[in-house]
Amino acid sequence: MKHIETAKEALQKAGALLITAGAGMGVDSGLPDFRGNEGFWRAYPVARKLGLSFVELANPHWFEAEPALAWAFYGHRLHLYRDTVPHPGFSMLLDAAKEKEEWFVFTSNVDGQFQKAGFDDEKIVECHGSIHHLQCTSCDAGIWSAEGVEVPVDMEKFRALKWPHCERCGATARPNILMFGDWGWDSSRTNIQQARFEDFLQRTIVKRLDLVIVEIGAGTAVPTVRLTGERLAKELDTRLIRINPREPQIDPHLGWGIPMGGLQGIEAITS
């Protein structure tokens, strides 16, 4: 409780807010976080039958080798994320952000839940890309929106019945997501987001704003978000509030760990 009250006070006093989020942010909305093979196989039992782990299936080579399999996985996720309603914690964070002179979101999630919850798209970095955008597997056609794209999936056979193709060359399209072993990801959209993020950080320095970082559901399995928050806390001499039910550990010089799920932790520091 002491950590919660101290973190809550730091958030209230801050002039700038950086929200960083991993897969755990979406759990209270009903989204799977794919923590370990067992967690992944609970969400996709067919993958267990196929003997495929999340790391093996989330690989771009399937879009050329077996596009029906690749799009069974990503097509199902596309429709899942479209249908999911962000949990109330998103609104709580947005309200807290709007009270600050500056704010930004850094997330490894590809689900678009922050935008769906009303966060300004130009104040978000999706460091691993977005399932709501597509790119070609063959040519340099750039990035385009997946809006209106429908991918029907036979879940028993775990095969997509149809999937999107590049309008320029006709090759199979793929999500604009950074996958494992991925050398073909088009990072141009994320690069633009990253430039805006760097501008945000620079403004907090120039304005001498007290920045606080609130991290939700960022684990150690894919530690991009976790490490980014820790690095910025050190470089900018600011404090990090880490909300994580299983891995809340943090250097006490950097901030406070709150062993709660996303929604519960957000409510605790914003109410």
Side-chain angles (χ1 to χ4, degrees):
M1 289 300 296
K2 182 181 178 182
H3 279 181
I4 292 172
E5 291 304 315
T6 307
K8 184 176 179 178
E9 183 179 354
L11 176 58
Q12 290 173 341
K13 290 182 176 179
L17 171 61
L18 171 60
I19 300 162
T20 66
M25 180 66 183
V27 169
D28 290 300
S29 301
L31 295 176
D33 67 358
F34 301 152
R35 178 182 167 85
N37 283 337
E38 290 302 321
F40 172 62
W41 286 332
R42 275 195 299 273
Y44 291 95
V46 179
R48 183 197 291 270
K49 294 179 182 179
L50 296 173
L52 292 172
S53 67
F54 173 57
V55 173
E56 290 167 330
L57 189 53
N59 189 299
H61 89 89
W62 292 113
F63 287 95
E64 296 185 25
E66 285 191 61
L69 172 62
W71 271 111
F73 180 44
Y74 283 97
H76 177 265
R77 290 174 67 192
L78 173 63
H79 293 292
L80 174 65
Y81 296 156
R82 280 178 180 167
D83 294 342
T84 297
V85 177
H87 64 72
F90 283 90
S91 295
M92 296 175 193
L93 283 177
L94 183 56
D95 289 342
K98 288 179 176 178
E99 294 178 353
K100 309 305 179 187
E101 187 171 343
E102 296 282 354
W103 64 268
F104 221 91
V105 174
F106 182 97
T107 181
S108 60
N109 297 336
V110 302
D111 52 30
Q113 291 289 290
F114 278 101
Q115 289 93 331
K116 196 170 187 179
F119 285 77
D120 185 346
D121 186 52
E122 296 200 351
K123 292 187 176 185
I124 301 171
V125 182
E126 295 160 300
C127 65
H128 292 166
S130 169
I131 202 167
H132 303 291
H133 291 80
L134 304 175
Q135 67 177 83
C136 184
T137 57
S138 181
C139 76
D140 186 20
I143 299 170
W144 65 94
S145 173
E147 186 175 355
V149 171
E150 300 291 332
V151 184
V153 177
D154 182 332
M155 289 302 289
E156 288 190 12
K157 296 180 180 178
F158 206 51
R159 288 291 186 272
L161 304 179
K162 67 173 184 177
W163 52 87
H165 292 77
C166 176
E167 290 187 0
R168 177 190 287 184
C169 74
T172 295
R174 52 162 279 185
N176 181 233
I177 292 174
L178 178 61
M179 304 176 198
F180 294 97
D182 195 349
W183 300 102
W185 180 53
D186 183 344
S187 65
S188 58
R189 179 174 174 272
T190 297
N191 292 343
I192 293 171
Q193 294 177 331
Q194 185 68 35
R196 294 193 195 112
F197 179 46
E198 296 296 334
D199 288 343
F200 155 77
L201 294 174
Q202 190 60 36
R203 287 195 303 274
T204 65
I205 294 171
V206 171
K207 294 180 180 181
R208 298 184 179 180
L209 298 175
D210 289 330
L211 173 68
V212 69
I213 304 170
V214 177
E215 174 193 293
I216 310 100
T220 57
V222 181
T224 310
V225 172
R226 200 171 172 101
L227 295 178
T228 297
E230 291 177 356
R231 175 179 61 81
L232 290 174
K234 292 175 184 176
E235 290 179 357
L236 302 178
D237 191 24
T238 189
R239 304 294 270 172
L240 170 63
I241 302 168
R242 170 165 289 154
I243 299 171
N244 195 305
R246 291 181 292 255
E247 299 176 302
Q249 302 88 350
I250 188 173
D251 182 338
H253 295 99
L254 294 181
W256 311 278
I258 298 176
M260 294 181 176
L263 175 56
Q264 184 185 15
I266 293 166
E267 189 171 19
I269 65 171
T270 59
S271 61

